[in-house]
Structures are given as structure tokens and as C-alpha cells.
Amino acid sequence: MGSIQEERSSSSVVHSHHEEEEIQPATPTGQYFNSSVMSLSIVAVLESEIPIDDSLITMTLLNDVFLPINPRFSSIVVRDENGGNQYWKKVTVKLEDHVKVPVYPDGLSLESYDKYFDEYLTKLGMERLPESRPLWEISIFKYPTSKAAGTLIFKLHHALGDGYSLMGALFTCLKRADNPSLPLTFPSLRPDYNNNNKKKSVLGLLSVFKNTVTDFAWSLIKSNVLEDHVSPIRSANPGVEFRPISISTVTFSLDQIKQIKAKLGGTVNEVIVGIIFYGTRLYMDAASKGSGNARTTSLVLLNTREITSYQTVEEMAKPDTKGPWGNNFGFLHVSIPGMVDVETADPLEFVFEAKKMIMKKKSSLAVYLTGRFLELMRSLRGLEVTASYIRGTLWNTSMTITSLMGPIEQMSLANHPVKGLYFMVVNAPQVKT
């Protein structure tokens, strides 16, 4: 369990041989994700209901809407003379260097374009963004697939911000399909009253203290010593982050998830995580008989911002905001419940057990304690050692789960109705993310 928090830095002046240049120091978290041992990016895939007209989507939209969202989109990473600390340096962006339009033969079947799309996405996920230009790019796949009439692929380096920030930037570019003049609306986040009340009682405080000590110790053990078992979802092969990837999607009915939630309690996210855990165990046992009970741990990422609703990019930029731009999240080490007998396992009971484990983790302060531990490690041993520690945390586990809420209304981008939108982290040292 750990916490990744952005530290807000003031502008710094660095002297060059010829002139003074004002540049922005990169945050420690951004440097962890762009180090010699780890380079993580976020890939977001936007599926359009109609064929994509790239003349409407590219240069004007990027220049007038996307780039002004945050200075990091117009900055490159530079390092000091010792090659250690990193900085964001403002540059003139050549948009043509950031827009890719792959070309394939016309008139092929949907199955053929599906194959081309999967191959392109795999190639894109494996490539490292060059530091000679701002750390983002957009690909326009103009050919129809079985899922969409056209597809946009956004690749943004994790050093720019976390999923909440970067998806917020994307939502800034999107409009309501039914009425573009109205803003997108998002569900409100309800406070966890059970945990809040629990922390106010004496017994609750003792429980929080116990869970914090236990979870912090477990986090240290998992990050340093105890690896998950080798299984169908964890190869333990060095360099797994550089191997080809395969993207799979599945759609859940929100109404059915709410029905499960009504029976089991908890939140929609907890139910979804439980379902993912159950499906993972089924897959593991089907791929290798008996592996459904292997030691398997997931990192479940949580937004640590003190927010109860979606924050716009403008709100994220305010000095006193509770939902700032950057990397502000914690990760919970959650052991996936074992499944000794797939034939007799009760799916609801399995999801309920997973939900209980997550709720127990959420009533712990180990996320913040581990965050302080990372800060101490950075101050004593440096950024690269801390980045190696975070990489080890990922390496020792089997999978990562993260989620973000989407808008209530259907979205559109430059008058292109959006059929689907999903995202993933690439280049992590895990088989499954």
C-alpha cells in the first residue's frame, strides 16, 4: 500500500551559458515515472460512431483547446548537469510531430482492420515517448473496426499527471452530444460515512490503528521481499514491460452492478473490483488447473484528492483547490481471494469477500504513512532509488486496477459522437493492468 502525491513547486531560474531561462521543476512523482528504471504512459482510446474527419479534430482543436490546458503539454523534460533532477522547459510545439495517421489498404473487412488496429495499438504501447518533444501524441485510426467507425488514440506520459488529471484534460476537449453548448455533468462522489463514523469512535480508532500497522508492514514486505506466485497472469520474466501487449475490453451493465451492490452493500467500484477478481480467478484456473488458489495480489489505485465531485481543469489549477493537477493517488495491496473449487464457488460470496477486504484497507491510514516513507527514502537515497522501490512494488504484484467515473451524457469530440472511451497504463512491469 502506498501513496503518490505531487509536491507543488515554485518556478526556478536556471542559468545557461547564454541567457537565463525560467523553467518549472518537475515534481518527484513525475521523475519517478520518467526515470532510468521506469517510464509509464497512459493510453486512452476514444471510439467514434462516425468516420473521423481529421481536418476537424487535429490542429485547431489541439492548438486552441488542448495545449492551453496545462503548461506541461508544451514543455519538454530537461535534466541538470549531473543528469539527476528534471525540469519542464517551455518550447514551441510542432503539432505535426505529435499527430500520427497510420495508412492501410482501403476496402478491407472489419476483421482485417481489427487486426491492424490491435497490431498498431501494441506497437504504440511498446514505444517510449521521445524526450526531445513534449511527452504526448495522438493517433488517428481512420478505418472502421468491429467496435467503431473510427478511433482516436491518446498517449500521454504519466509524468504529465495521473489518470484523473489527464482524463480531465480529455474531457475538456469533449462536449455533450445532445447539446454542445451545455457542459458535461458527472456523478457526485458520496463520502464513505461508515468509515468516517468508524474513525470517530474509540473502537473505530483502535481498528484504524491496527489496520494501519498491519497494512504498512504488509506493504513493506510485499514491496521488498514477498513476490506473488508465477501464474497465468504473472510470468516473472525480466523485461515484461517491453513485450507486446494485447488489449481486451468487456462491458458491464450498470443496472446489474447496482443490483449486486444492493445485495452486498459497498460502492459500485468495490463491486466491479470484486467481479474483476472473480473473473481473474476463473481465467487463471482455466489456463492452468489449480492456479486459481495461487498467491495473487492486485494494486488497487485510489484517488487521494479530497473531492466529492469532478473537478474541471480550471478548478485543478487554483492554488487552494482540493483536487490539484498532477499525480495524487494511493495504491492498496489487495490479496485476491483464493478459489479452491471453481465448480462450487459462489460468485456473490466471492465478490462479497473481496469487497470486505477493500473496505478494511480503506479504513487504514497506511496509504499516507507509506507516502511519507517514500518521501523519506527520496530525501535520504535519491530519486532513482525511490523509483526502483516503486517499480519493485509493481513487479512483486500480479495486476493493477484503476478506474475513473465518466460523464452522464453521451460525449462528442468535434461533432463526432463518442461510442466508447477507455484507458490503460502501459510499460508497467506487470503482465496484467
Side-chain angles (χ1 to χ4, degrees), residues 222 228 234 297 299 333 393-399 430:
K222 282 298 299 176
D228 278 359
R234 184 174 187 270
T297 310
L299 291 178
H333 281 95
T393 299
L394 293 166
W395 169 259
N396 286 353
T397 55
S398 299
M399 58 189 287
Q430 293 176 319

Side-chain angles (χ1 to χ4, degrees), residues 12 185 233 246 319 359 363 365-366 395:
S12 174
T185 58
I233 66 168
S246 176
M359 290 182 66
S363 67
L365 301 178
W395 169 259

